[in-house]
């Protein structure tokens, strides 16, 4: 069974603060990259993955001499949708939603270094398959910031990816919000948080949420964010279970039938959660039926987790458009995920709800656990 150390340790790690706010700023030491083989980027990419001769470290030291600070490390948390109602299809083809978004303690680590370049950003990552060019939301966010502010700063960025993709957890959206926050700190906070939030909707519907304080009632396409106090205790444990297969958000929405969605007023759901806490009847996700059509094995997974977790989980539901199944109330996955070969590649992670303070970014919970795959233990590839 997965360790529950995260449940037992709710202390937040606060890195050293700076005069511009409480930031996780790495000291002016040489950046240390894994000594992986040199990878030549294509012309369409903006950066190589690693530079084994430490040329980048030497250049960063030169930048240090000229800048107030040149390196910044930030936590980029993912989110879950405690409930997700789809209320209408709009004339522009999008759907209106009403959802309780909440950040959780699973997240990526992103390292930003001020670059001497005045022409391009450079992105590297610890996983394969992640685009390194302007298809990546991090690069889109940095481009957006320069467009809005006239800043001439460019960056080296390293993404230590832990959040699985195609999971309904908003990992890419969080990365974009984190990049906007970082760029703003390097530029002396030229923009307000409200401006960053408004700008971010131009490149993604879920990105504005991450400029809340961790809990928000979101409407419109998701970009209308009503920041609320956390309606649930932050120390409620949960387990995130994502099968190897991902759900195509576009295909899920294509199969959505509004006449078959829930009719419960989403504000009633929010009120019940705030008053009574989590229960199965309030964790409604209107995208579950179409997602289960796209990926029938996901429906079976939820059914098995629900059956095996009776008395263990307060609620079991899908987050976003899938394919992550969330079990609220316990950090421990059901035993069948370890015993059944069909689930040996399932991604598993404990989590808790988290929030952030005004003028600070999210902080990583101290934990001795790491995400896992059910069949092999630690999962270093996600």
């Amino acid at each position: 069974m997965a360790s529950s150390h995260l449940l037992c340790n709710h202390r937040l790690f606060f890195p050293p603060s700076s005069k511009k706010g409480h930031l996780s700023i790495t000291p002016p030491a040489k950046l240390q990259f894994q000594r992986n083989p040199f990878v030549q980027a294509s012309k369409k990419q903006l950066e190589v993955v690693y530079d084994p001769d430490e040329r980048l470290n030497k250049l960063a030291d030169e930048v240090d001499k000229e800048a107030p600070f040149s390196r910044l490390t930030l936590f980029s948390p993912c989110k879950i949708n405690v409930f997700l109602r789809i209320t209408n299809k709009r004339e522009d083809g999008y759907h209106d939603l009403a959802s309780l978004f909440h950040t959780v303690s699973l997240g990526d680590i992103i390292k930003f270094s001020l670059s001497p370049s005045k022409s391009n950003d450079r992105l590297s990552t610890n996983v394969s398959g992640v685009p390194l060019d302007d298809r990546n939301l991090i690069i889109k966010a940095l481009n957006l910031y320069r467009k809005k502010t006239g800043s001439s700063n460019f960056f080296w960025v390293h993404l230590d990816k832990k959040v699985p993709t195609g999971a309904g957890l908003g990992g890419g959206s969080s990365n974009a919000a984190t990049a906007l926050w970082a760029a703003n700190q390097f530029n002396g906070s030229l923009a307000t948080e409200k401006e960053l939030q408004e700008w971010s909707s131009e490149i993604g519907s879920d990105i504005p949420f991450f400029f809340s304080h961790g809990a928000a009632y979101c409407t419109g396409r998701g970009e209308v964010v009503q920041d609320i106090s956390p309606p649930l205790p932050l120390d409620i444990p949960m387990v995130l279970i994502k099968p190897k297969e991902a759900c195509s958000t576009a295909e899920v929405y294509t199969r959505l039938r509004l006449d078959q969605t829930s009719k419960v007023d989403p504000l009633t759901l929010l009120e019940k959660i705030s008053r009574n806490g989590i229960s199965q009847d309030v964790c409604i996700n209107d995208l579950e039926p179409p997602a289960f059509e796209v990926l029938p094995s996901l429906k079976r997974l939820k059914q098995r987790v629900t059956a095996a977790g009776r008395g263990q989980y307060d609620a079991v539901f899908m987050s976003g458009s899938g394919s992550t199944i969330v079990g609220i109330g316990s950090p421990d996955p059901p035993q069948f995920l370890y015993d059944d070969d069909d689930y040996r590649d399932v991604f598993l992670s404990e989590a808790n709800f988290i929030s952030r303070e005004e003028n600070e970014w999210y902080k990583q919970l101290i934990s001795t656990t790491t995400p896992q795959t059910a069949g092999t233990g630690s999962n270093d590839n996600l």
Side-chain angles (χ1 to χ4, degrees):
M1 303 294 283
S3 166
S4 58
H5 292 166
L6 185 62
L7 174 61
C8 301
N9 189 343
H10 307 312
R11 295 177 297 164
L12 290 175
F13 171 65
F14 292 92
S17 63
S18 80
K19 293 181 180 179
K20 299 184 187 300
H22 299 289
L23 303 172
S24 174
I25 302 175
T26 58
K30 291 183 183 295
L31 293 173
Q32 296 300 314
F33 294 106
Q34 299 180 69
R35 293 300 182 263
N36 286 352
F38 183 80
V39 179
Q40 178 65 48
S42 71
K43 292 182 179 179
K44 293 182 179 180
Q45 295 176 330
L46 295 183
E47 180 52 296
V48 297
V49 175
Y50 297 110
D51 188 340
D53 65 6
E54 298 188 357
R55 177 178 56 85
L56 298 183
N57 293 331
K58 294 175 182 178
L59 287 172
D61 288 338
E62 291 299 314
V63 173
D64 279 345
K65 298 175 182 178
E66 305 297 330
F69 67 88
S70 67
R71 304 178 192 185
L72 179 60
T73 298
L74 293 173
F75 180 60
S76 178
C78 66
K79 59 80 181 172
I80 63 170
N81 301 86
V82 181
F83 66 79
L84 175 55
R85 288 288 335 282
I86 306 299
T87 57
N88 183 46
K89 185 169 184 179
R90 300 149 49 121
E91 291 184 0
D92 60 8
Y94 288 99
H95 289 78
D96 284 322
L97 60 83
S99 178
L100 172 57
F101 282 57
H102 209 307
T103 47
V104 298
S105 56
L106 173 66
D108 304 327
I109 301 294
I110 311 181
K111 297 180 180 181
F112 299 87
S113 295
L114 196 60
S115 170
S117 170
K118 296 301 179 184
S119 60
N120 66 289
D121 298 299
R122 298 176 174 185
L123 176 63
S124 64
T125 183
N126 63 322
V127 296
S128 61
V130 174
L132 303 178
D133 55 18
D134 57 10
R135 293 171 296 167
N136 191 292
L137 280 171
I138 292 174
I139 301 298
K140 287 184 178 181
L142 296 176
N143 286 335
L144 177 67
Y145 186 83
R146 284 186 291 267
K147 173 185 173 183
K148 295 293 186 180
T149 66
S151 169
S152 60
N153 285 337
F154 287 82
F155 301 92
W156 294 319
V157 184
H158 182 72
L159 171 63
D160 185 4
K161 195 72 181 162
K162 301 297 182 186
V163 179
T165 57
L169 297 174
S173 295
S174 176
N175 292 167
T178 304
L180 283 170
W181 173 274
N184 202 41
Q185 298 307 306
F186 279 102
N187 285 276
S189 298
L190 289 175
T192 65
E193 285 190 24
K194 186 65 176 176
E195 287 173 324
L196 295 176
Q197 185 178 58
E198 291 174 353
W199 298 345
S200 69
S201 67
E202 297 182 19
I203 57 174
S205 299
D206 288 350
I207 303 172
F209 158 70
F210 290 95
F211 291 100
S212 72
H213 291 91
Y217 179 68
C218 299
T219 54
R221 293 181 289 112
E223 85 285 5
V224 181
V225 179
Q226 180 183 341
D227 205 355
I228 62 175
S229 298
L232 297 162
L234 298 181
D235 60 356
I236 294 178
M238 70 187 76
V239 61
L240 308 178
I241 307 167
K242 185 207 173 287
K244 186 176 181 180
E245 300 82 8
C247 281
S248 163
T249 300
E251 189 172 357
V252 169
Y253 273 102
T254 297
R255 294 179 183 240
L256 175 69
R257 293 182 289 278
L258 285 173
D259 61 341
Q260 296 184 16
T261 59
S262 171
K263 305 307 176 188
V264 179
D265 185 338
L267 288 174
T268 299
L269 296 175
L270 182 61
E271 180 184 356
K272 285 184 176 180
I273 290 171
S274 300
R275 185 175 64 245
N276 302 323
I278 288 285
S279 60
Q280 190 65 56
D281 66 309
V282 296
C283 295
I284 294 170
N285 186 340
D286 285 336
L287 295 182
E288 282 190 9
F292 293 162
E293 287 184 17
V294 173
L295 197 60
S297 60
L298 188 60
K299 180 178 182 179
R300 176 61 177 158
L301 174 61
K302 183 193 173 185
Q303 290 173 334
R304 292 194 65 178
V305 171
T306 301
R310 286 197 176 96
Q312 181 177 1
Y313 304 123
D314 299 317
V316 176
F317 55 92
M318 186 183 80
S319 180
S321 59
S323 58
T324 298
I325 300 296
V326 182
I328 298 279
S330 171
D332 298 322
Q335 185 61 39
F336 77 84
L337 292 174
Y338 297 98
D339 297 338
D340 193 326
D341 286 344
D342 289 342
Y343 298 107
R344 65 180 293 107
D345 293 324
V346 165
F347 172 92
L348 302 172
S349 180
E350 302 174 13
N352 293 83
F353 293 117
I354 64 170
S355 61
R356 70 179 180 95
E357 300 297 325
E358 189 76 28
N359 299 318
E360 296 181 3
W361 200 241
Y362 299 94
K363 305 297 189 296
Q364 185 177 25
L365 281 176
I366 296 174
S367 172
T368 58
T369 62
T370 57
Q372 300 179 352
T373 50
T376 59
S378 67
N379 184 1
D380 295 328
N381 295 321
L382 289 172

